[in-house]
């Protein structure tokens, strides 16, 4: 019985991480809370299937990813805002010449591998992700963090492949600009 209590404590200790992960994906505190709660219930119910073959955090994140996809599906069935309302964003044409080259090359980022290891970088990235429009952030996180293919993203969110690529482009450019200002430009 003590091992079951220990398992529950370990699962509960990962709750703050799971909440951050779900909040970045769903952009809705209530939906994130629901997804995390569903994941925790599923994890506790499936304790016997865990068996320690994987890292507990990895296993819980996998369960949470499925719950997030379920939440996204539910949200996609709900009425949406006016078309284009979440596609606001900075246009990047002024950064390039008419021939498509950088007007002013971005400053070098020094040692990006070293920066990735720093906890402050992750906080800056999280802040930049929170600034993205909701759908843009969702597409980016589904692609880059959850590993979804473009077709899967299009199916889940009801967007065309072209629109998906535009959203990914906008996300990457906005994140690059934000990180340049909040992280790499300060070093």
């Amino acid at each position: 019985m003590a091992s079951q209590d220990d398992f529950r404590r370990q699962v509960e200790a990962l709750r703050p991480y799971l909440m951050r992960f779900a909040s970045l994906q769903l952009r809705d505190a209530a939906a994130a809370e629901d997804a995390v709660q569903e994941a925790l219930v599923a994890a506790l119910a499936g304790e016997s299937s865990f068996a320690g073959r994987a890292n507990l955090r990895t296993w819980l994140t996998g369960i949470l990813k499925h719950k997030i996809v379920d939440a996204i599906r539910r949200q996609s069935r709900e009425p949406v805002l006016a078309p284009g309302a979440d596609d606001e964003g900075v246009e990047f044409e002024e950064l390039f010449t008419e021939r498509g080259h950088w007007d002013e090359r971005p400053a070098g980022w020094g040692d990006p591998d070293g920066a990735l290891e720093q906890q402050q970088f992750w906080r800056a990235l999280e802040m930049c992700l929170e600034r993205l429009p909701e759908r843009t952030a969702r597409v980016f996180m589904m692609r880059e963090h959850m590993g979804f293919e473009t077709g899967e993203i299009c199916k889940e969110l009801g967007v065309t492949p072209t629109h998906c690529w535009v959203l990914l482009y906008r996300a990457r450019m906005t994140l690059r600009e934000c990180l340049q200002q909040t992280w790499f430009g300060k070093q």
Side-chain angles (χ1 to χ4, degrees):
M1 196 69 168
S3 65
Q4 187 177 23
D5 289 339
D6 187 43
F7 180 77
R8 287 174 191 257
R9 276 193 293 279
Q10 290 174 9
V11 166
E12 188 59 34
L14 290 168
R15 191 177 187 291
Y17 161 77
L18 297 172
M19 279 301 298
R20 281 193 311 276
F21 184 89
S23 294
L24 280 172
Q25 297 295 324
L26 297 171
R27 298 287 184 104
D28 178 319
E33 179 70 35
D34 289 346
V36 169
Q37 287 299 329
E38 290 174 17
L40 292 176
V41 167
L44 293 173
E47 177 183 359
S48 61
S49 67
F50 173 60
R53 289 184 296 263
N55 178 296
L56 180 60
R57 180 172 157 162
T58 304
W59 184 68
L60 286 171
T61 303
I63 294 171
L64 181 58
K65 284 180 182 181
H66 291 286
K67 301 303 179 184
I68 289 170
V69 169
D70 292 343
I72 290 169
R73 285 182 183 137
R74 282 191 301 269
Q75 287 176 350
S76 68
R77 290 184 214 123
E78 295 173 1
V80 293
L81 300 174
D86 62 353
D87 292 339
E88 299 171 11
V90 179
E91 292 301 324
F92 300 101
E93 285 79 25
E94 69 270 5
L95 297 175
F96 301 98
T97 66
E98 289 179 13
R99 297 180 68 200
H101 299 284
W102 286 103
D103 187 36
E104 183 178 317
R105 288 191 70 72
W109 286 7
D111 179 18
D113 290 333
L116 289 175
E117 295 173 9
Q118 298 180 27
Q119 193 68 288
Q120 293 170 339
F121 170 80
W122 291 109
R123 281 189 229 122
L125 177 61
E126 194 169 307
M127 181 197 62
C128 291
L129 284 167
E130 289 172 358
R131 291 181 180 177
L132 290 175
E134 184 176 340
R135 180 170 276 187
T136 304
R138 180 167 290 146
V139 168
F140 179 80
M141 292 298 286
M142 287 177 80
R143 174 67 179 197
E144 302 303 334
H145 194 68
M146 297 174 77
F148 281 74
E149 296 295 326
T150 303
E152 294 171 298
I153 296 168
C154 294
K155 180 181 175 189
E156 293 299 329
L157 300 181
V159 298
T160 65
T162 302
H163 190 208
C164 183
W165 297 325
V166 167
L167 292 173
L168 285 169
Y169 171 77
R170 287 180 181 169
R172 290 174 181 137
M173 293 303 290
T174 302
L175 288 172
R176 181 178 189 13
E177 287 292 310
C178 182
L179 287 172
Q180 181 66 38
Q181 292 171 6
T182 61
W183 179 254
F184 293 104
K186 290 186 175 187
Q187 291 186 346

